[in-house]
Amino acid sequence: MVLEATMICIDNSEWMRNGDYSPSRFQALADAVNLICGAKTQSNPENTVGVLTMAGKGVRVLVTPTSDLGKILACMHGLEVGGEMNLAAGIQVAQLALKHRQNKKQQQRIIVFAGSPVKHEKKLLEMIGRKLKKNSVALDIVNFGEDDEGKTEKLEALLAAVNNNETSHIVNVPPGPNALSDVLISTPIFTGDGEGGSGFAAAAAAAAAGGVSGFDFGVDPNLDPELALALRVSMEEERARQEAAAKKAAEEASKQEKGGEQSSSQDATMTERAGVATSDADNKTTDLTDDENALLQQALAMSMDDPATNNDVRDTDMSEAAAEDPELALALQLSVQDGTKDSAGQSDMSKLLADQSFVSSILASLPGVDPNDPSVKDLLASMQSQSEPQKKNDDKGPNEDEKQ
Amino acid sequence: MACLHDHSCEEHDCSSDWSLYKHIDLTKVSALNEATTGSVKSVFKAWEQRLNSSGDFLESNEGDPELLVFIPFTSDVKIKGISIVGGADGTSPSKMRAFINRDGIDFSDAQSMQAVQEWELVENIQGVLEYQTRYSKFQSVANITLHFPENFGGDTTQIHYIGFKGEATQLKRDVVATIVYELTPNPSDHKTKAEGGGGLSHVGK
């Protein structure tokens, strides 16, 4: 989380029209710049980032170091490709822009994207590097695109002149299927000199690596919110469907002791599981209602493959919770089924209510209600009469038996 | 502008004179063109330890003898004299320029700006030389920047000790920490004369 002012030097010369990085070198570059700006501003809110172009009609500062991400993204839009890159002038102008930064406490850093051949002499670049080092400016070089003889050597010499205690880096990105931004995510340019980096960079790196990620479904919500949301919703629906099936099985075995205590114990298990989940999951689930909370917790815990919590225990808790709240289970069930099945859903609902044993268990769970109380039985009878005719016949039989 | 200690140090305790190092804000001390980041903090120590550089001293980068040291104090100080102990073999600085109360000076600024005072230094391995300041200009110093542009021919410049002689005031030159701005005026805070007794002052109560 080092406080830093960064100037990004963009190569918008003719060489950037080439398509060896998809979709074009310049597009890949623009994506990488956007990613870097986001990472820098997120790692420390007081960080500032500025952008300048090195080719075109000449070195031009597009935006002076600012922490306003919108401004930076806006200026990247509508850039034109043309001319020849002037690396030396670009770095010197960047140094000047950093010198006049508003907050003198920020460390100075320049990030250079060198996609076209470097026409300067190695000596000149070394001199520039020494001047940067003297004024304690760090330099990151992204060497991609054109690879003529001597370019890599010159850039390495520049880096050696600037490097002070490993604060400066060079990254060589060969053309290939991987996007420029993906390759850069795992480099020290993003992770900030191995200090542990920002949460953004670390999470993005994990997501790109495709391995265990700190996020729900291996997708960073910051990078792709729609995809993350879609995955989460589909996971919830799957959960709900499985819950309805499990609930039916558990319904038979539902005991009368499960009452108000169950809901409070359910809350306890909920919070316990919340403690187990990562802080990211916590932030997400606190926004949800309690109904979704239970399902999402399970989805999260399962996706994280957390060995600390017992899968079986969770499933049982879930089915008990679902059994406890028949309307919830049915509502979920209804939501996943087709509209054509609505009538069936309706009858399911009334079937449940008409189910004598189930209703009496519910009533027993309510404090202060005695199922043997005649007034309660009368109420039950009236409820039964409201159910559908075919069910009424079946249920009234056992109902009347019990009444007697 | 150099003067030698012409008394033996048993009579009075020199270290108490050179005690301004206690008022230096070491966390914010920085230097430009130092070979090892953070090595500048080791040059501020007590008078007795000025010759005892147990490995840690300020050295510039190879082939570049310029050094720029920024020293903030925890409170405003008055500086009477400065002592510098350099390195051997021509690595001692030969010139010193001072800037007062300026933040964020770098080499191009230092070279173009007029310094508050400049000194020609001599090699001072034993640390008995003191360079006097024009005291009237060094009355309320919150931070001082020392620029050493040249040395005696060595490849690098080494500084083992920087000492300040003077006294510390209790004044602080901090920025205002907490300000409460009014978004809307609160009438109770602004009693006008009309409300407060119709123009009569409360002097003769």
Side-chain angles (χ1 to χ4, degrees), chain A residues 77-92:
Chain A
H77 182 75
L79 275 183
E80 302 219 332
V81 177
E84 240 182 65
M85 171 178 82
N86 188 347
L87 184 63
I91 294 180
Q92 284 168 331

Side-chain angles (χ1 to χ4, degrees), chain A residues 276-316:
Chain A
V276 166
T278 64
S279 59
D280 281 338
D282 268 349
N283 293 337
K284 293 187 183 69
T285 52
T286 45
D287 296 337
L288 303 169
T289 65
D290 285 345
D291 289 343
E292 296 172 275
N293 199 359
L295 296 166
L296 186 57
Q297 285 289 357
Q298 186 178 10
L300 283 172
M302 285 191 60
S303 70
M304 276 172 227
D305 207 17
D306 196 339
T309 53
N310 190 348
N311 280 339
D312 299 29
V313 170
R314 274 207 313 282
D315 281 340
T316 319

Side-chain angles (χ1 to χ4, degrees), chain A residues 146-226:
Chain A
E146 239 16 69
D147 185 24
D148 65 341
E149 67 282 348
K151 179 188 178 193
T152 309
E153 199 189 310
K154 287 179 188 172
L155 293 178
E156 300 264 357
L158 172 60
L159 183 85
V162 177
N163 204 353
N164 179 12
N165 231 9
E166 308 301 324
T167 51
S168 304
H169 317 94
I170 183 169
V171 179
N172 299 305
V173 184
N178 299 327
L180 188 61
S181 1
D182 290 343
V183 175
L184 285 180
I185 278 172
S186 52
T187 60
I189 292 181
F190 257 88
T191 58
D193 307 338
E195 289 166 352
S198 64
F200 182 96
V212 176
S213 80
F215 292 94
D216 300 351
F217 306 103
V219 175
D220 181 354
N222 293 320
L223 281 179
D224 203 344
E226 288 99 20

Side-chain angles (χ1 to χ4, degrees), chain A residues 95 99 104-105 130 133-136 164-165, chain B residues 32-33 35 37 61 64 66 106-109:
Chain A
Q95 191 185 354
K99 183 172 138 158
K104 300 285 181 202
K105 291 197 174 63
R130 274 197 297 272
K133 182 173 176 184
K134 193 162 161 182
N135 287 297
S136 77
N164 179 12
N165 231 9
Chain B
L32 287 184
N33 204 28
T37 323
N61 280 316
D64 198 348
E66 266 191 276
D106 70 350
F107 283 106
S108 48
D109 293 337

